[in-house]
Structures are given as C-alpha cells and as structure tokens.
Amino acid sequence: MATAYEAVIGLEVHVELKTNTKIFCSCTTEFGGDPNTHVCPGCLGFPGTLPVMNKKAVEYAVRAGLALNCAINPYSRFDRKNYFYPDLPTAYQISQYFHPICKEGYVEIELGGKKKKIRINRIHLEEDAGKLLHSGSSITSSQYSMADYNRASVPLIEIVSEPDMRSPEEARAYLEKLRAILEYTGVSDVKMEQGSLRCDANISLRPVGSTEFGTKTEIKNMNSFRSLQRALEYEIDRQQDVLEEGGTIIQETRGWDEEKGITSSMRSKEEATDYRYFPDPNLPPIVLDPAWIKTIKASLPELPDARKERLVKECGLSEYDAGIITSSRSLAEFFDRTVVLFNEPKTVANWMMGEYLRLLNAEGLEVSESKVTPEKLAALLKLQADGKISGKMAKVVFEELFNTGKEPETIVKEKGMVQISDTGALEEIVMKVLAANPQSVADYQAGKEKAIGFLVGQVMKETKGQANPGIVNQLLKKKLSE
Amino acid sequence: MSSLLGLTAHQLQGLLEKKELSCAELVKAHLAKIEESDGEIKAFTRVTREAALEQAQAMDAQRSRGEGLAPLAGIPMALSDNLCTKGIVTTCSSRMLENFRPPYNATVVEKLQEAAAVLLGKCNLDEFGLGDSTESSAFFPTRNPHDLQASAGGACGGAAAAVAAQEVVFALGSDAGGSVRQPAAFCGVIGLKPTYGLVSGYGLIAAGSSLDQVGCFTRDFTDGALVLESICGADVQDSNSVSSPHTDFTKHLVNDVKGLKIGLPKEYIEGVAPKVKTAYEQAVAKLEELGAVCEELSLPHTKYALPCYEIVLAAEASSNLARYDGVRYGLRVEAEDVESMYNKTRGQGFGEEAKKQILFGTYVLSAQQYQDYYLKALKVRTLIKQELEQALEKYDCLLTPTTPTVAFNLAGKGKNHHGRGGVQTHGLTCPASLAGLPAVSFPFGKAQGRPIGLQLIGRAFGEGMLLRVGYTLEQNTDLTQLSPAVKGER
C-alpha cells in the first residue's frame, strides 16, 4: 500500500510598511514614479553615506507584532546580510538576524469551521532592494538590464511562521488572515499585485504520523493567494511523485511559473550564499520603552476576529457573511457606517455580499476606489424599504450608482422609476390581467396557488416593472377571492 | 613670504585680523609651497588651486567690509581624500573611485566651509584607508618631509605630510586604528583622534565603520583645539554621532598639570626602540617635574589588541567595500555578463592590500569561522575597552609611545615594506580605537632625523584633558616643535 503523506508548510511573508519615507533616508516610499526619481545618495549606497533609522518604521513593526500576538523585544539590532546583486546598492541588506524586533506570535485561522493557531517564529525589520528590468527573461539571458532603485530601502517586515500548516488551503487561509490583520493595523497596503505583500513558502512531506521533518524546498515567485495555493498543490504532487518512486527530495529553492503551472529549480543548497551576517556598525541598537509599546498596543483598532464576533452576536450575521465582511478593514468599516444610517444589518450585509462585492470583483476595485459610499447605499436601501422602488429596480439603481456615483434619488428620477403603489391605478390593470388569463384564474381557484406568481408577473409586465409587487399580490388575492 | 609658512592657525589669524597679511597672500604662499615641494613629497592627489584663490579673494573682500571672521577663516587646509567633497573628485586613493565626484559634502567639510577655512586640496592615503604607509595608494606613496627615504605613515600619510611640509596649516584625516596618530608621529605633527562619535562620520568613506573616526593634523595643541571645536557635534546624518557637553576645547589649554595622575601602561613600552623609549622617559620626567604624578600600570590585554583590530577592521571593510561593484558609480570594466563585470571591475579596481583585507574579512565572517574569529574579536574588544576604561577611572590620562619605532623606509616602487602590507605599526594606537577613546599623538624630539611621537589616551569625551597635558608639555619644552628639513627650509 502506498504511504500517505502530509505536507509541512511554513511561510516567510514580506510586508512593505506604509511609512512616508524610506527606512534609512528621507526619500518618499510612494509606489510608481519614474525610475530612479525616489532616490538619494543614501539609498543608492554612495560611499560615505550612512543609514538613519526611521522611527515610524519601528513603530509600525511593533504595531504589526502586537496585532499578531507577538512578544516585542525591548532590545533589537540591525545586521548586514552580505550578497552581490545589482538591485542591492550597498551589496548588503540591512536586516535583523540576531536580534529581531518581535518574536513568538500566532495567527488563528478557520477552515471548515475548525480553528487552528499558526505560530509566528519572529518578525524582523529590514530594507527592500531595488528592481531590475531585464531586456530578456533573466539577468543571465539578457542583453542588458536596467536598475530602478525607487524601492531600495523601503521598509519591510518579514514575518516568519513556524512550519504549522498542513495543506495549501491552510497556507492560503493563514496568508489571507495575515493580510487582513495587517490591513486593519494600517501599517501596510498589503497589495500582492503591487508587491507590498510577498510570500515565500517552505514545504516538505512526511509520512502521516511521523514527527520528523522531511527535506524541504523553498518556493518563490508566488504573486497571488491563488498562485500560493496552486504552487503548493503542485509541489506536494511533485514531492510525492519523487518519494513514491523511491527518490529523495533535494533541498533547493524553486521558482513558481504561473503560466506553466509548475515549480522549477532556481538554486540548490550547495549554491546558496553564505550571507556573512554581522552587526551593522552604523546603526545603534533599538531599545524600546515598555510605556511606548503600551501606547501602541492601546492604539490598535478592533481586529478581524473580534469584529467578526461582534457582527455575528450583535448584528445577527451568519459566520460566513461576517467572515467575508471583516476580511478587510475597509469593507468592515463600510458595513458599520451603512448600518448606522440604515439599521437593518442583515439587509446591508446581503447587499454587500451580493451586488457590491460582485461588482467590486468584476471591476477589480477596492472599497476605497469605489464610488459607492455608505451614505448612498443607505439612501438606496431606504428607497426600497419605503416602497418607492422595487427590489428589481434597486439592483438597477445600484449598478448605476456603482458606475456613476450619482445619488440613488437622482437615478430613480432620471430613469422614471417610480413604483406604482396607488391601489386605484393598479386595480384597473389587475382586472385587465385577470380577464386576459382565465386559465390561470381557474388554476388558482382550483388550488394551484403557484398560479398567482404568473399573474403577478403579468401585472409587472403591463406596468413595465413599476408596480409594487406586494400591493399587486394583495390586490390579486383580493380579486380572486371575490 | 616663507616666514608665513610654519605658523599656526591662531598665529596667522592674528596677522589676518591686524591686516598685516591678506588671505590671498596666505593662500598663494601655501600654493607656491605645494608647487615647490609636492613633486617630491606627493602629499596631494589633487590641488584645488582655482577654487582656493577665489575663496581667498572673497574672504579678503569680506574682511575689508569689516565683517568678523571665525578662528579658522582664511586658513589654508587639506582633506584626506576619503572625505567626500561635493563636485571635487574624491578618490580614496583607489582606481575604483579615480573619477568619482560626490554629489555631497562630508559633514566635517560642511563645517569647515562654515568656518571659512580654505581647501587647498585632497591628500593621498592608503587605498580606502587600509594600510600604514600610503604604499597601498593606487597612485603613489607619500614621502616623509623629514626624510624623503622614509614613509609618511598611513593610512592618512598625505594629510600628515602636507602639514609637516608646511603646504597647509592643518588637515583632516580619519583614524580607524592609528591612521591619524601614526602618520602624525612619523611626520612630527600633532594628530588628534577624538572620541568615537564626537565628530560626524557622514561623508567619510568607510573602512571599518565601528572604528573610523575623523581626526585632525595640526602644528600645535591650540590649533588642535580650534579645529576640533569647528568640526565636532551631533549630526542627524550619523546615528553614531553624539552631542558632548564638553566641546569648549580651547578652555582646556592651560599650562598646568600639577596633581594630575598620568598612567604609564608598561605593555606599551615592551619592544619599543631605545630612542623612542628614551624620549618617552624624558616626557615622563618633564611631566613629573611640572607636578604631575606618573605611575606605571599594567594593561594585560594590550597584546590582543592588534589581532582583534585586524579582524574587526577586515570584517567591516570587506562588507563596506562590497558596494564598489561597477553598477552605479566609480570604475566599471565592461564584460559579457554581470558576474564577469563584477569580477573584472573589482579585480582591476582594487589594489593588493584592499583585496587581502576583503579576503580576510570575508573569511572571518563566513558561517564556519564567525564564532572563532569575528565573535571572539568582539569579546576581546569588550575586554580591552573595559580594561582601558577602568584604568582611566584611576588616571586622568595615559601616556604611551605612538609607535614602537620612528618612520620606516619606503620599500620602493610597487613594493610594500611588510610582507603582508599589514598594520603592525598601529599596535599601540589601535587599543584606543577599539575602545572608542580619544587619543592624540604629539612630536617629542627626533631619532636619526626622524620624528618620535608620543601618545596620550583619555576618557571618553575627555579631549580637554589631553589638550591640557599636551599644551603644558608644549609650553615647557622645545621637543614638540619640529621643523622639517626639506627643500626651501634648509
């Protein structure tokens, strides 16, 4: 019988901190910008220049650490990680190897109703490197490469998990949860597509029941949650095939190829660089005042788990809906603000889970980029609640609101979408429909209650959808029973 | 005109103030002196003649308008070529930076500009400050103005020689283990290395970052105090720089050592040349005669200082020199791919000494060796620091020779006097560097026509005490004033 394997996965997640300036100089950290316009002699590694610590970056790292249940080290220090690459101006990255700023935290994930803690080993502060643009596919196969140092020295935290994940789904859930928590704390944009959230995975297999670790590979170049999951799924299959054929896993770094859907070897352990870490003499240690750490802790916002619990308990939302709505701070805040204006949490949640998220996803927009505001959504829901527009109309209005940002009231007027709730006006049409559909009338009267649905539909058709379906229903029942 | 040469900054300032001398005359006299002697001495990698003359004229105009000027205003000076000067090529005496024009000034350069001192040029040093003789300079070795066969010392031999040869009045250099004090001793001038952090290191091209400290070469202690006052102070651009409350250095120029306790660490005398030892004993006798209490003491960790220093310096230098990769600035040797470009650029851009230091430093930091070398060196460094600090709780300062011998001979073209081009002559100077303590070398007579240097080591931020003891000796002997016997001064 074939051995059953389980995967052992740990993630190293790099997060760009949203400080205004770089970690060791005063250049802007703004994303984009023409190449090499956000640079100075310092972040270009010119001789004689020196790094000066950005206090905000320390604050953000502590903030992230506290939100991820970490212990904050009162003493931390910077080390140099030495290696040559054209995107690294000084040929060493300033990082924290010996004494990281945070340690021993965890993130709780939930899959299929089961909760699990994924432990965090450490979080350290470091600087980002620049970016290379190759004329070919890689630095070795290119005629030339161009270096852009705008990103060089942007502050990063690296969050290193313990190897606590056992499936690609768990890894993905962990990363999604991490993203949500960090977004709540406001320390990062956490956008995978812009590279402000990046993830490498360590993965090995072992026979189910074994407590020893197998040989691991490190997977790089995964640019979305989906590619993380796919890459891990692929790598599990690959390693399993090797093991089942009696082979051994080579400890190596492998790159994920999104198009081909495979991982392939980048470098083996033997080729791995000796980074020659040593304390950076240019930066004094970071010594943190416990009172300062307390201040930061006190300033943390309500985090996703607490918020979700509140939405379930106080607003009566389902676990699922509450989970989605609290998966991003902007979405959760949108919900809270809308509910303040229109106090029917479930209706608000339904609209957000349905129309709003559908359109956001279709357009690839963030809540902050959308034209829909809590005020406008509440106004729309109020129009519907007051019977001024039907649910069907409301959807049309919402789509228009999403696209144009116009006030719902204005859209309703422009489209002439006033719902007919006037009984007198509707009675006439109801009579006409009853007269034209004797078969349905007979069916209903013979006990087929479903027939009324067809009749309602006919009235709606006659009124071009403007009739208030509730009133039409009442009128029909009244007439049919007469 | 030659009577101007050899005067100190404070003497010249008096003449300038009384308008007995114009700044233009002063600068021209020194430029003429450079022209006359530097062909032989080779203290300079670059002379900034035009800019200097222009500045001198501007200052004369300022003075004629009756504007008050700072103590160093109009005084001709030079900078070691590892201090970045905006728009002026800063080579670090390396092929790697042969055409490098920094887009910024070192903080000390900014400060001297504010003080209106006049830059006459950049001075030769061992490549990237790695060496003790200027023989690892990619361009040429600097000769000792007292004896052209002798080395001016290093790393900052050019700056020391420029002051000794009366080509400038004062100069700045950097000292990681003795690179100011040792050449000062060899060239018979005062070389002051302040407490680590007292003077900003921003814009100083790094060799060993935890050791590097900007220091100054002057003709007497009064000038030392004046220059230090002009360049010290905390700098937001250097996280290791500190603000000291004791920066009123000229106040400490007091002719009085009565009751001061001066320690004489015996390990510093072991193996020292007899004539150096004699001079040392003479200085001790003089201090005692002037009322100081001199006492022998033991600092047993001293013998570990040099290997410890060599490991720390090489480790840090190997990392600091990694940025010269041909990608962004400096030399690039084109090649077919990036790896070969690195290899060729670094292969051709660095001299032998820099390569040795990179190899050695890379080795001691490697995963297998880190514990045995680098980490151990850090521990030894702590012991040395503690030992010195404890001694300085008891003594106001320590007196030692600066170097075990007077200046050695230059080895000749392309050769280095040491088998491994090492830093042995920094053996007595590197302990203070490891401990971050201030130290000063001053001349005290000659042997075989070559100057003898003695060293005072003080408490952290205790520069004032060193100035006081030095100044008192200066006021009471002729031995601290040495005129070089070079062409034009015979």
Side-chain angles (χ1 to χ4, degrees):
Chain A
M1 206 183 87
T3 320
Y5 291 100
E6 82 172 345
V8 176
I9 302 167
L11 297 188
E12 289 169 15
V13 178
H14 285 91
V15 179
E16 263 181 16
L17 298 179
K18 213 165 61 178
T19 53
N20 292 327
T21 55
K22 292 184 177 181
I23 186 166
F24 299 125
C25 68
S26 51
C27 291
T28 176
T29 55
E30 211 178 301
F31 182 74
D34 288 338
N36 300 313
T37 52
H38 302 164
V39 293
C40 71
C43 55
L44 288 175
F46 269 54
T49 61
L50 295 167
V52 178
M53 187 68 223
N54 179 344
K55 198 178 167 190
K56 203 79 190 168
V58 177
E59 183 190 321
Y60 280 6
V62 169
R63 204 171 157 79
L66 291 170
L68 298 170
N69 307 300
C70 287
I72 308 301
N73 280 326
Y75 174 96
S76 67
R77 214 179 54 188
F78 288 97
D79 304 296
R80 293 185 184 177
K81 178 180 182 178
N82 295 284
Y83 65 96
F84 286 96
Y85 205 63
D87 67 2
L88 189 63
T90 48
Y92 57 80
Q93 180 194 28
I94 302 178
S95 181
Q96 295 187 310
Y97 180 71
F98 296 105
H99 299 276
I101 191 158
C102 313
K103 61 180 179 187
E104 293 158 9
Y106 67 87
V107 161
E108 197 170 68
I109 58 166
E110 195 176 334
L111 268 181
K114 278 177 78 181
K115 287 182 178 171
K116 180 174 176 179
K117 270 183 188 173
I118 307 297
R119 291 170 303 152
I120 289 166
N121 174 288
R122 58 189 273 157
I123 301 178
H124 59 256
L125 253 175
E126 59 187 24
E127 58 178 341
D128 209 343
K131 269 184 191 164
L132 295 185
L133 199 70
H134 305 304
S135 66
S137 61
S138 73
I139 194 162
T140 41
S141 65
S142 293
Q143 197 91 63
Y144 61 89
S145 299
M146 290 182 288
D148 175 9
Y149 296 103
N150 282 356
R151 202 181 68 179
S153 248
V154 165
L156 289 179
I157 47 174
E158 182 176 340
I159 304 167
V160 183
S161 84
E162 295 288 355
D164 283 354
M165 289 152 273
R166 294 291 173 267
S167 68
E169 292 74 21
E170 283 188 8
R172 181 179 179 155
Y174 165 77
L175 189 61
E176 283 177 342
K177 192 57 167 290
L178 208 59
R179 195 204 67 87
I181 294 172
L182 293 170
E183 192 221 357
Y184 271 61
T185 60
V187 303
S188 173
D189 288 332
V190 282
K191 289 180 184 166
M192 280 191 98
E193 66 281 10
Q194 287 188 2
S196 56
L197 177 70
R198 307 197 279 270
C199 172
D200 300 333
N202 286 299
I203 175 164
S204 62
L205 294 189
R206 65 181 175 193
V208 172
S210 165
T211 51
E212 277 167 41
F213 292 126
T215 305
K216 67 177 179 183
T217 56
E218 185 181 1
I219 316 297
K220 287 185 178 288
N221 300 340
M222 296 161 296
N223 301 320
S224 65
F225 294 106
R226 190 167 163 265
S227 63
L228 168 68
Q229 194 172 337
R230 283 179 68 205
L232 290 174
E233 281 162 1
Y234 173 86
E235 187 61 15
I236 289 173
D237 287 347
R238 188 192 71 83
Q239 290 193 12
Q240 188 155 347
D241 288 349
V242 172
L243 292 172
E244 277 172 0
E245 281 161 22
T248 48
I249 303 298
I250 301 161
Q251 188 172 338
E252 63 186 349
T253 303
R254 299 179 69 85
W256 167 247
D257 186 323
E258 183 76 33
E259 272 173 41
K260 293 185 188 151
I262 60 165
T263 67
S264 55
S265 181
M266 291 169 83
R267 58 181 176 268
S268 73
K269 191 193 173 194
E270 285 69 40
E271 294 166 279
T273 322
D274 178 351
Y275 291 121
R276 290 171 282 123
Y277 286 101
F278 77 104
D280 190 332
N282 291 329
L283 288 159
I286 303 176
V287 180
L288 297 178
D289 178 1
W292 188 64
I293 298 173
K294 268 190 190 163
T295 321
I296 296 173
K297 190 158 195 177
S299 76
L300 283 179
E302 186 185 29
L303 294 173
D305 285 345
R307 198 152 191 157
K308 181 182 164 188
E309 208 180 306
R310 178 167 64 82
L311 295 197
V312 171
K313 279 193 180 154
E314 291 177 15
C315 301
L317 300 196
S318 71
E319 287 268 341
Y320 179 77
D321 286 1
I324 301 269
I325 286 172
T326 57
S327 69
S328 95
R329 184 180 180 175
S330 47
L331 209 54
E333 277 176 357
F334 188 97
F335 174 82
D336 278 357
R337 282 170 58 202
T338 311
V339 169
V340 167
L341 301 166
F342 184 79
N343 197 12
E344 285 182 31
K346 278 185 168 174
T347 310
V348 174
N350 287 341
W351 272 88
M352 286 179 66
M353 297 291 294
E355 292 304 289
Y356 192 32
L357 279 177
R358 181 180 65 80
L359 290 170
L360 281 178
N361 290 339
E363 300 290 321
L365 289 179
E366 299 280 331
V367 172
S368 59
E369 295 161 335
S370 142
K371 291 179 178 132
V372 181
T373 62
E375 290 73 21
K376 287 174 184 168
L377 176 60
L380 171 65
L381 297 180
K382 211 160 175 301
L383 286 174
Q384 193 193 352
D386 292 348
K388 292 193 175 141
I389 54 172
S390 66
K392 205 173 169 187
M393 287 177 194
K395 283 187 181 172
V396 175
V397 173
F398 185 82
E399 194 148 350
E400 181 76 7
L401 162 60
F402 187 90
N403 291 328
T404 64
K406 285 182 186 167
E407 291 293 340
E409 200 99 37
T410 316
I411 299 169
V412 165
K413 269 185 200 153
E414 278 176 4
K415 294 203 180 268
M417 271 181 172
V418 179
Q419 182 165 257
I420 307 170
S421 302
D422 175 3
T423 325
L426 287 175
E427 226 174 59
E428 205 178 305
I429 300 162
V430 166
M431 294 307 286
K432 203 171 132 195
V433 166
L434 288 177
N437 296 286
Q439 186 56 49
S440 298
V441 172
D443 286 350
Y444 181 80
Q445 280 164 344
K448 286 188 180 172
E449 293 204 1
K450 273 187 184 168
I452 201 164
F454 174 76
L455 294 168
V456 172
Q458 291 305 303
V459 177
M460 295 308 284
K461 198 176 166 188
E462 282 291 315
T463 60
K464 296 192 176 79
Q466 291 185 353
N468 182 325
I471 294 172
V472 172
N473 213 309
Q474 280 172 22
L475 276 175
L476 277 169
K477 281 185 179 164
K478 196 177 145 210
K479 293 289 169 198
L480 286 165
S481 61
E482 271 172 7
Chain B
M1 215 40 134
S2 69
S3 62
L4 290 177
L5 302 171
L7 294 184
T8 62
H10 57 98
Q11 288 165 337
L12 289 166
Q13 199 52 248
L15 296 177
L16 287 168
E17 260 163 38
K18 282 182 262 168
K19 294 189 181 156
E20 287 173 19
L21 174 68
S22 74
C23 185
E25 286 171 316
L26 181 59
V27 167
K28 277 178 191 160
H30 282 88
L31 286 171
K33 177 70 181 169
I34 292 172
E35 193 130 304
E36 179 196 307
S37 354
D38 213 54
E40 272 184 338
I41 292 172
K42 294 187 177 297
F44 285 86
T45 51
R46 179 169 308 261
V47 177
T48 50
R49 164 181 290 274
E50 300 310 316
L53 288 171
E54 226 170 86
Q55 194 192 341
Q57 269 156 16
M59 303 210 40
D60 283 332
Q62 228 175 315
R63 201 181 294 268
S64 67
R65 288 196 298 271
E67 291 173 31
L69 292 170
L72 296 179
I75 305 297
M77 58 92 185
L79 298 167
S80 194
D81 210 9
N82 55 349
L83 287 164
C84 286
T85 40
K86 189 174 178 175
I88 301 170
V89 172
T90 300
T91 67
C92 240
S93 290
S94 178
R95 294 276 172 232
M96 197 60 101
L97 295 178
E98 202 168 357
N99 299 304
F100 174 64
R101 255 174 234 276
Y104 45 87
N105 276 325
T107 298
V108 288
V109 176
E110 289 282 318
K111 287 193 175 240
L112 285 181
Q113 275 184 4
E114 275 164 39
V118 181
L119 177 68
L120 299 198
K122 306 293 292 284
C123 289
N124 193 34
L125 70 157
D126 281 295
E127 184 177 20
F128 286 104
L130 301 168
D132 65 348
S133 66
T134 69
E135 286 165 296
S136 77
S137 163
F139 310 126
F140 39 73
T142 298
R143 292 172 196 273
N144 192 316
H146 292 271
D147 182 341
L148 296 175
Q149 302 303 308
S151 166
C156 298
V163 175
Q166 305 179 344
E167 296 173 337
V168 289
V169 180
F170 73 93
L172 298 190
S174 75
D175 187 313
S179 291
V180 164
R181 287 162 289 161
Q182 183 257 34
F186 281 10
C187 292
V189 296
I190 286 168
L192 176 61
K193 181 204 90 80
T195 309
Y196 187 72
L198 181 74
V199 177
S200 168
Y202 178 82
L204 166 65
I205 300 182
S209 309
S210 74
L211 299 156
D212 290 341
Q213 182 58 54
V214 175
C216 58
F217 300 95
T218 59
R219 286 212 179 98
D220 70 358
F221 279 96
T222 306
D223 276 7
L226 288 172
V227 173
L228 195 55
E229 274 177 10
S230 306
I231 61 173
C232 73
D235 177 8
V236 289
Q237 296 187 99
D238 177 358
S239 313
N240 284 321
S241 71
V242 281
S243 168
S244 164
H246 316 291
T247 54
D248 200 352
F249 300 112
T250 42
K251 255 193 185 162
H252 294 272
L253 299 166
V254 183
N255 181 6
D256 176 22
V257 291
K258 271 186 219 76
L260 291 185
K261 289 191 77 177
I262 297 172
L264 312 172
K266 63 177 188 190
E267 289 78 5
Y268 283 71
I269 319 297
E270 287 163 11
V272 158
K275 287 201 171 155
V276 174
K277 202 173 172 186
T278 308
Y280 178 70
E281 283 159 357
Q282 254 181 300
V284 172
K286 192 76 198 173
L287 285 167
E288 283 178 330
E289 179 196 317
L290 293 166
V293 181
C294 297
E295 258 178 36
E296 193 185 90
L297 74 147
S298 174
L299 300 172
H301 288 103
T302 303
K303 64 180 167 199
Y304 303 114
L306 192 60
C308 168
Y309 161 74
E310 288 183 325
I311 290 169
V312 173
L313 176 69
E316 293 180 2
S318 72
S319 175
N320 285 332
L321 266 50
R323 70 188 65 196
Y324 307 107
D325 58 6
V327 175
R328 289 158 300 275
Y329 49 76
L331 180 73
R332 174 190 290 185
V333 183
E334 297 291 349
E336 57 280 11
D337 59 40
V338 70
E339 194 78 23
S340 327
M341 188 277 283
Y342 282 160
N343 291 341
K344 286 188 175 164
T345 299
R346 291 172 65 78
Q348 293 174 33
F350 288 130
E352 213 175 299
E353 183 59 30
K355 284 178 190 164
K356 275 182 198 159
Q357 295 283 343
I358 291 168
L359 281 174
F360 180 44
T362 303
Y363 178 76
V364 298
L365 286 178
S366 65
Q368 291 80 13
Q369 311 303 330
Y370 186 85
Q371 298 275 336
D372 289 347
Y373 290 93
Y374 186 72
L375 202 60
K376 200 163 276 180
L378 289 191
K379 289 175 181 168
V380 173
R381 181 176 188 175
T382 304
L383 289 175
I384 290 167
K385 184 170 191 273
Q386 286 170 349
E387 190 174 83
L388 275 166
E389 282 171 351
Q390 275 162 20
L392 285 160
E393 280 171 21
K394 194 170 170 198
Y395 300 101
D396 293 296
C397 62
L398 307 177
L399 179 67
T400 78
T402 309
T403 51
T405 65
V406 294
F408 44 76
N409 280 340
L410 285 167
K413 216 178 175 185
K415 281 191 209 153
N416 207 314
H417 74 101
H418 297 307
R420 102 200 134 78
V423 282
Q424 286 95 329
T425 56
H426 288 168
L428 306 181
T429 45
C430 70
S433 294
L434 288 168
L437 299 174
V440 61
S441 174
F442 58 95
F444 211 78
K446 286 186 173 186
Q448 295 105 34
R450 298 180 184 183
I452 294 166
L454 301 181
Q455 174 180 236
L456 289 164
I457 302 171
R459 297 172 188 152
F461 305 104
E463 283 81 358
M465 177 58 69
L466 306 185
L467 291 165
R468 176 177 166 186
V469 175
Y471 179 80
T472 304
L473 277 173
E474 193 176 76
Q475 297 301 306
N476 293 282
T477 78
D478 294 330
L479 294 165
T480 62
Q481 297 294 319
L482 308 175
S483 294
V486 292
K487 202 162 67 179
E489 283 296 307
R490 271 171 224 268

